[in-house]
Amino acid sequence: DRSSLSSPLPLVSPAGRNRSIATSRPYTFESNMSPKPWMVRRRSSYSSASSRYSDSTWETENDDGTNNRAWKLLACLILCLAPWIPVYGHYNAMQQQKQQVNLTIEEQQQITDQLHLLADEITTAKKDLRESTARNDLSYKRLKDLHMTLDLENEKYLAAEQMEEVLLGRIDRIERLIQKYDREDLESRYGKNQIRVEIELQMEDATISSVVVELNSKKMPHASNHFVEMAEQHLWDGMPLIRGMEDRLVASPSALDEHHRSGLSKFEHANLTHLAFQEYTKPIIQKYTLAFAGGRPAGPVFVIRMSENKGEEEQHEATFATVVKGHQALEHAMHRTVDHGEVKMKNVRVITSSAKR
């Protein structure tokens, strides 16, 4: 608006702040185009008299113009910076949000890395699980095969046990038949009388002592008949009676007889070596009893117990007879040195009368 340009404006300055508007110079386009006081080089005190203003006037106007310029610059600066004040606040808020976003991104990156690690661990665990499953399947297959094998072996074992029971039953029946046969054989030869056997002992001084034993043919028929067969065939005649361990006298056919021949050949020739089976009864472990020993089954060795020592070996021996006469003769033979056949069984015979007679 050109009218506003031609209207007089007050000049605001510290020196001329109380100057009236009337005394102010009019602000025209021409006057505006005229050089300003601060645009004109300050005149020195020795300026010419034709100067328009004096030195004091120029200095005053120069100071007023400088202050006016400073205030205008300050106003422009405020007007320029005022819109940026809220922008600066928003900028700080945006920077904080940016930092929070960066922290969130870093946390998400860490979580992503952890998820990748977990995924790798899960993959490894799945691989291990597959391998373990394969091993378990193989083990299960082997166990199944082993179970089938064990079932087959169990069936075979049960069949073997059944067969064993059958065989044991048959053996038990055979043993009872042998006992029945031996009992009937003894009764047919000697009746129901108590069977006794006499053993004549010959000492080193040629004295003869008699020992009589009584057989337990009712409870031990097989061992009793076996000993009777030996006595009837005189297989023990001339055999030594030696002292053995655990206070017992031992009659062994392995020693040499009076003709320097092994007595075992006579027993083998007569087929009277061992018992057909190990015959048992309630343990009769007492002094002056006779029992077959030497193995399972026992025979042909027999022992005469001279004490009541209950050893484990004696509990499994087939005790078949008891000494009823000649205890002193046995004690005499026990306390002598009986090496080299110094005490011999001169004659072993059955003294019970035969039923056939």
Side-chain angles (χ1 to χ4, degrees), residues 232-244:
E232 287 182 348
Q233 298 187 31
H234 301 281
L235 299 178
W236 290 111
D237 292 354
M239 291 291 108
L241 191 66
I242 62 177
R243 180 173 181 176

Side-chain angles (χ1 to χ4, degrees), residues 20-81:
S20 62
I21 297 176
T23 59
S24 298
R25 288 180 299 176
Y27 182 83
T28 61
F29 181 78
E30 291 77 7
S31 62
N32 190 23
M33 293 299 295
S34 61
K36 302 298 180 182
W38 59 80
M39 297 176 60
V40 179
R41 182 180 296 178
R42 180 177 296 180
R43 294 177 174 83
S44 60
S45 56
Y46 52 84
S47 61
S48 61
S50 63
S51 298
R52 187 176 178 177
Y53 300 101
S54 62
D55 292 338
S56 61
T57 304
W58 276 101
E59 291 178 357
T60 301
E61 289 181 358
N62 190 15
D63 293 337
D64 293 342
T66 301
N67 291 332
N68 189 16
R69 180 188 176 197
W71 282 104
K72 286 183 178 182
L73 289 175
L74 179 60
C76 290
L77 183 62
I78 291 173
L79 291 176
C80 291
L81 294 179

Side-chain angles (χ1 to χ4, degrees), residues 105-129:
I105 292 173
E106 291 179 357
E107 293 178 355
Q108 290 179 353
Q109 186 64 34
Q110 293 178 358
I111 295 173
T112 304
D113 295 338
Q114 293 178 358
L115 289 176
H116 287 310
L117 293 176
L118 290 176
D120 295 338
E121 293 178 357
I122 291 172
T123 303
T124 306
K126 287 182 178 180
K127 183 178 179 181
D128 295 338
L129 181 61

Side-chain angles (χ1 to χ4, degrees), residues 216-227:
N216 188 9
S217 59
K218 293 183 179 180
K219 293 183 179 180
M220 304 287 288
H222 178 55
S224 299
N225 194 21
H226 195 71
F227 188 74

Side-chain angles (χ1 to χ4, degrees), residues 87-310:
V87 173
Y88 181 75
H90 289 298
Y91 176 76
N92 291 333
M94 289 177 65
Q95 289 294 328
Q96 293 178 357
Q97 290 180 359
K98 184 177 180 181
Q99 292 179 356
Q100 292 179 356
V101 169
N102 292 331
L103 292 175
T104 305
I105 292 173
E106 291 179 357
E107 293 178 355
Q108 290 179 353
Q109 186 64 34
Q110 293 178 358
I111 295 173
T112 304
D113 295 338
Q114 293 178 358
L115 289 176
H116 287 310
L117 293 176
L118 290 176
D120 295 338
E121 293 178 357
I122 291 172
T123 303
T124 306
K126 287 182 178 180
K127 183 178 179 181
D128 295 338
L129 181 61
R130 287 194 296 270
E131 294 177 354
S132 178
T133 304
R135 289 195 298 268
N136 291 334
D137 292 339
L138 182 60
S139 300
Y140 176 75
K141 184 178 180 180
R142 291 178 178 176
L143 288 175
K144 189 176 180 180
D145 295 339
L146 181 61
H147 182 68
M148 294 177 63
T149 305
L150 290 176
D151 289 341
L152 183 60
E153 295 294 332
N154 190 22
E155 292 178 359
K156 292 181 180 180
Y157 179 75
L158 292 177
E161 280 189 342
Q162 293 176 0
M163 182 60 68
E164 183 182 6
E165 290 179 359
V166 172
L167 293 176
L168 288 176
R170 292 179 181 178
I171 292 172
D172 187 57
R173 288 195 299 270
I174 292 173
E175 290 177 354
R176 288 198 300 268
L177 287 174
I178 292 173
Q179 287 179 329
K180 181 181 179 182
Y181 171 78
D182 289 330
R183 189 180 294 110
E184 292 177 353
D185 184 38
L186 291 174
E187 289 180 358
S188 65
R189 286 186 292 171
Y190 301 101
K192 295 184 178 181
N193 299 323
Q194 197 70 37
I195 303 174
R196 292 187 177 186
V197 178
E198 183 184 20
I199 303 174
E200 292 182 356
L201 300 180
Q202 183 179 0
M203 305 299 177
E204 72 279 0
D205 55 358
T207 58
I208 305 287
S209 300
S210 177
V211 177
V212 178
V213 298
E214 188 175 86
L215 303 180
N216 188 9
S217 59
K218 293 183 179 180
K219 293 183 179 180
M220 304 287 288
H222 178 55
S224 299
N225 194 21
H226 195 71
F227 188 74
V228 168
E229 290 288 343
M230 292 178 178
E232 287 182 348
Q233 298 187 31
H234 301 281
L235 299 178
W236 290 111
D237 292 354
M239 291 291 108
L241 191 66
I242 62 177
R243 180 173 181 176
M245 299 176 61
E246 298 179 356
D247 297 332
R248 53 172 55 187
L249 292 172
V250 181
S252 176
S254 60
L256 299 177
D257 59 6
E258 57 185 359
H259 300 290
H260 302 283
R261 294 177 303 181
S262 176
L264 185 60
S265 60
K266 298 188 299 181
F267 289 89
E268 292 176 350
H269 182 72
N271 196 19
L272 291 172
T273 55
H274 298 82
L275 297 172
F277 63 94
Q278 190 72 16
E279 197 172 25
Y280 293 103
T281 184
K282 291 182 179 180
I284 305 175
I285 305 172
Q286 59 186 9
K287 194 175 182 179
Y288 305 126
T289 56
L290 278 71
F292 281 111
R296 300 289 185 275
V301 179
F302 73 89
V303 297
I304 302 175
R305 301 190 185 101
M306 300 301 295
S307 65
E308 295 184 357
N309 294 331
K310 297 182 179 181

